[in-house]
Amino acid sequence: MREAMFYERLNENLVRCGLCRHHCQIGDGARGICAVRENRGGTLYSLVYGKLVAENVDPIEKKPLFHVLPASRSFSIATVGCNFRCRHCQNYSISQVPPKAPIVGEDHSPQSVIRKAQAMGCRSIAYTYTEPTIFFEFAYDTARLAKEAGLLNVFVTNGYITKKALTTVAPYLDAANIDLKGFSEGFYRDYIHARLSEVLDSIVEHRKLGIWLELTTLIIPGLNDSDEELQGIASFIVGNLGGDTPWHVTQFYPTYQLTDRPRTPVETLRRARDIGKAAGLRYVYEGNVPGEGGENTFCPSCAALLIGRHGYLIERNRIENGACPDCGAVIAGIGM
């Protein structure tokens, strides 16, 4: 256990958590929505500090981050817990913790994570699989050491972190892939148990703090795949983040509590990509459908093929010093 950051004590041993935008008020002996922050006698504790349930070496493309150190490896870690209740969660076995469940995980220190990342030849550490916000204290301590060691830090996140917490970690956070799960408050209310407006505010705050952003939308047939909703997302990205922000439109497959929907047709992903391009996005990628050609990076100026991908494998990378070798256009990102 570790005393939590970002909370205030209220009356009669009640506390209010300020880590994510739920701002849970937590009574003595209870936990927040994330199920991993517990009030004990008026002191809020993180129950998952260093309790890793996943540690893997992944291609950075798996996050997905296509414009951060292409073809590099990222040491990826997670604890149990999440502050969302997505009915289609792909990692529900580790993210959806019952309110009073025992906390599982192998004990690690920030120093051990750094040593493993370096030993494996990784160039970054990814806080991923579940929601990095809910293991903030461990992620923050690790990120500071990683920065000193010359490693990048990336969050794969739902974007529900508070501005105060984000501002605290921002000096050490190089990039984030944020799930923009839909573009209606009804979808967020009914399928995520969160508020779209808070996610949108957080996304803009990430950009203002200088964090490289890529957004991912898992497109679910009949729920968030209308032209209107996809156009809303694309226009939001262009208007608030700029046309150089990559947007990953990804295929849904039935899982967890949402098994009554079919896989997303490739044609739907192609339509979403076309909508993004028409709105002014320079980099739109189709996810979970390797071999369809939607994972490649093209020059936004001359349309030359720059990075050819198949799944997470880069088959060809023609970018030279961050630019297109044919026309000299700069390709946005980190270490391109």
Side-chain angles (χ1 to χ4, degrees), residues 2-249:
R2 181 66 60 94
E3 184 176 356
M5 301 169 66
F6 312 112
Y7 76 98
E8 60 178 316
R9 292 182 172 92
L10 305 176
N11 297 326
E12 299 179 352
N13 286 341
L14 186 69
V15 302
R16 179 185 290 115
C17 182
L19 178 60
C20 92
R21 293 171 186 253
H22 287 303
H23 296 286
C24 295
Q25 290 195 30
I26 307 170
D28 192 6
R31 299 181 187 179
I33 288 173
C34 64
V36 297
R37 298 168 79 77
E38 184 171 296
N39 177 1
R40 297 191 177 183
T43 299
L44 188 64
Y45 290 95
S46 167
L47 306 180
V48 292
Y49 189 94
K51 293 280 188 182
L52 299 187
V53 291
E55 48 174 321
N56 297 293
V57 176
D58 289 331
I60 191 72
E61 287 78 16
K62 188 177 181 180
K63 300 304 110 188
L65 288 166
F66 281 12
H67 287 246
V68 178
L69 302 177
S72 68
R73 295 191 290 179
S74 186
F75 194 70
S76 303
I77 62 173
T79 73
V80 297
C82 187
N83 54 348
F84 277 11
R85 292 293 175 263
C86 301
R87 291 178 56 189
H88 51 288
C89 180
Q90 297 177 14
N91 289 322
Y92 63 89
S93 63
I94 56 175
S95 68
Q96 301 303 307
V97 179
K100 278 295 190 178
I103 301 299
V104 299
E106 297 287 335
D107 288 324
H108 290 71
S109 68
Q111 292 83 356
S112 71
V113 172
I114 303 303
R115 287 194 296 268
K116 288 186 177 184
Q118 292 172 323
M120 297 293 186
C122 296
R123 298 181 65 186
S124 62
I125 295 178
Y127 310 83
T128 179
Y129 304 135
T130 58
E131 172 51 48
T133 302
I134 62 92
F135 59 96
F136 183 93
E137 290 79 7
F138 187 72
Y140 177 65
D141 287 349
T142 304
R144 289 186 296 171
L145 291 181
K147 181 70 77 173
E148 293 175 5
L151 300 171
L152 269 61
N153 293 292
V154 302
F155 273 14
V156 181
T157 175
N158 58 34
Y160 226 55
I161 190 171
T162 60
K163 184 175 182 179
K164 184 175 182 180
L166 179 61
T167 301
T168 300
V169 76
Y172 312 101
L173 185 59
D174 299 282
N177 186 299
I178 298 179
D179 285 332
L180 183 49
K181 298 175 184 290
F183 210 67
S184 75
E185 289 292 356
F187 178 77
Y188 262 86
R189 180 189 64 243
D190 296 339
Y191 291 89
I192 313 298
H193 293 186
R195 296 178 296 279
L196 169 64
S197 60
E198 297 284 5
V199 176
L200 298 181
D201 288 347
S202 175
I203 289 171
V204 173
E205 288 163 7
H206 277 74
R207 174 49 49 86
K208 288 180 178 178
L209 288 166
I211 299 162
W212 172 257
L213 280 183
E214 302 190 23
L215 302 187
T216 295
T217 302
L218 186 72
I219 299 181
I220 306 173
L223 294 183
N224 64 355
D225 62 343
S226 69
D227 284 358
E228 180 182 13
E229 196 154 347
L230 296 172
Q231 287 166 354
I233 293 173
S235 297
F236 167 80
I237 298 171
V238 172
N240 292 276
L241 310 178
D244 279 337
T245 305
W247 184 30
H248 302 260
V249 291

Side-chain angles (χ1 to χ4, degrees), residues 238-285:
V238 172
N240 292 276
L241 310 178
D244 279 337
T245 305
W247 184 30
H248 302 260
V249 291
T250 304
Q251 185 184 57
F252 162 83
Y253 60 88
T255 189
Y256 192 37
Q257 298 173 345
L258 199 59
T259 57
D260 62 338
R261 301 282 167 169
R263 279 182 178 266
T264 315
V266 173
E267 294 77 15
T268 300
L269 302 182
R270 196 64 41 83
R271 173 167 56 88
R273 188 181 185 190
D274 290 344
I275 287 172
K277 290 282 190 178
L281 290 173
R282 299 179 183 91
Y283 310 103
V284 186
Y285 299 105

